[in-house]
Each structure stands twice: as C-alpha cells, then as structure tokens.
C-alpha cells in the first residue's frame, strides 16, 4: 500500500485505476489490491472505517482522492479473472465497482478454496453471476464469452 501526495510520488498522476472520493483534492491515496486477497479484504474494511472519520466537520472521504490499482497476484488463482470484471465495471458501471469488490470480499473463501476441485470455467461463471447480481440486470457482454473479450484482457494486464 502506498500513500502519496500529488506531485510528491513516483507514481504518475494519470496511472490507471479506479478513483473515488474527492477527485479534485490535492491529497491522493493510491492503494494496490488483489481482488481475492484476504489481506486486501482486511485493509479495505479498515479503509472504509477510516474514510468515515470526520476531520474539520467533514468525512475524510470528502477530503481526499483514493485510487485503487488492481494487482491480480499470481498465487490468487482467480484474481486475474476478477480484475477483468472490475475493469469492465470501471468502464460501464462505475457505481458498481466497490459493491462488486465488497461482494467478492464477502465470498473470498469461495473464490480461493478447493481450487483443484473446480474448473476455471466454474469460477468464471461464478464471477459473472456475481457481477450480474451487482449490476442488477444482464448486460450483453456478461455472458460465457466475457473472458474472451480482448479489451478487458489488455486493460487487466496493464493494471498489473
């Protein structure tokens, strides 16, 4: 996890990632999450608590810009597929990115246990079903061919 201030960090200010909070703020926090990592899940819950703290009578979330960068670590087997869905949501349903991340975190044991018992297609179908649940409707791209869409593949690799 890297916490930085604009113009004082080696991370370019236009680095890809999902930004929320006060996008106009001069204070920026860059976070790096693997969507199927227990430690990322723990930190995300801590982050939500901290962002509710009031500073000068305003919630902290209204005073800083937060950018999440997806890092699908190779030992989190299904995290890359999850990153592809997060990139899709960033593009088409920005307001659903954090709810989807929270849903995945709430089901993290389902995504990370018995990896030898289930196929990659099983996990992909589970991720698609969860994305449809969060979006609230079937999107034409959210189907069995989603993981073959090159655009999200490239963006996910760039994110890593």
């Amino acid at each position: 996890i890297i916490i930085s201030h604009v113009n004082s960090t080696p991370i370019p200010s236009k680095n890809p990632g999902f930004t929320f909070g006060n996008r106009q703020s001069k204070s920026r926090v860059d976070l790096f999450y693997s969507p199927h990592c227990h430690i990322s899940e723990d930190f995300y819950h801590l982050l939500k608590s901290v962002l509710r703290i009031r500073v000068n009578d305003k919630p902290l979330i209204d005073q800083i810009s937060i950018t999440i960068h997806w890092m699908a670590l190779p030992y989190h087997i299904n995290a890359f597929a999850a990153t592809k869905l997060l990139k899709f949501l960033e593009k088409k349903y920005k307001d659903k990115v954090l709810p989807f991340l929270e849903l995945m975190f709430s089901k993290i044991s389902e995504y990370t246990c018995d990896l030898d018992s289930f196929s990659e297609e099983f996990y992909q179908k589970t991720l698609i079903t969860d994305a449809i649940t969060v979006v609230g409707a079937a999107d034409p791209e959210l189907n069995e061919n989603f993981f073959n869409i090159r655009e999200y593949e490239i963006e996910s690799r760039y994110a890593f």
Side-chain angles (χ1 to χ4, degrees):
I1 299 166
I2 297 175
I3 299 177
S4 63
H5 188 275
V6 175
N7 297 328
S8 65
T9 176
I11 301 170
S13 63
K14 298 297 181 189
N15 218 22
F18 176 72
T19 302
F20 63 103
N22 180 350
R23 295 170 190 256
Q24 307 308 315
S25 176
K26 291 182 181 178
S27 297
R28 173 179 165 176
V29 177
D30 287 280
L31 306 171
F32 296 84
Y33 283 163
S34 178
H36 289 168
C37 175
H38 292 280
I39 295 169
S40 292
E41 175 192 16
D42 291 344
F43 185 78
Y44 180 76
H45 293 302
L46 176 63
L47 173 70
K48 283 179 53 176
S49 297
V50 169
L51 293 177
R52 286 191 294 268
I53 294 172
R54 298 184 75 76
V55 178
N56 298 324
D57 290 327
K58 290 172 42 179
L60 187 58
I61 193 169
D62 294 341
Q63 300 179 51
I64 62 174
S65 174
I66 302 107
T67 301
I68 297 177
H69 306 274
W70 311 117
M71 291 187 63
L73 299 173
Y75 46 85
H76 298 139
I77 305 300
N78 299 299
F80 188 75
T83 299
K84 289 168 97 172
L85 278 162
L86 287 161
K87 290 308 229 174
F88 165 79
L89 293 172
E90 280 180 29
K91 187 164 271 199
K92 292 187 78 175
Y93 303 97
K94 285 190 183 293
D95 62 325
K96 303 298 183 186
V97 172
L98 294 178
F100 182 63
L101 181 63
E102 290 178 15
L103 176 62
M104 285 193 298
F105 281 157
S106 75
K107 298 174 68 176
I108 202 163
S109 62
E110 293 176 38
Y111 293 124
T112 59
C113 71
D114 294 328
L115 294 172
D116 294 331
S117 301
F118 300 102
S119 68
E120 182 178 7
E121 284 113 19
F122 171 82
Y123 286 107
Q124 289 177 350
K125 286 179 184 176
T126 302
L127 284 165
I128 292 288
T129 300
D130 289 346
I132 291 170
T133 298
V134 169
V135 169
D139 181 285
E141 288 185 288
L142 289 175
N143 60 45
E144 66 276 355
N145 294 318
F146 174 81
F147 292 99
N148 296 324
I149 299 173
R150 185 99 171 114
E151 172 185 2
Y152 304 117
E153 175 89 17
I154 291 168
E155 289 183 25
S156 297
R157 290 187 185 284
Y158 184 57
F160 182 69

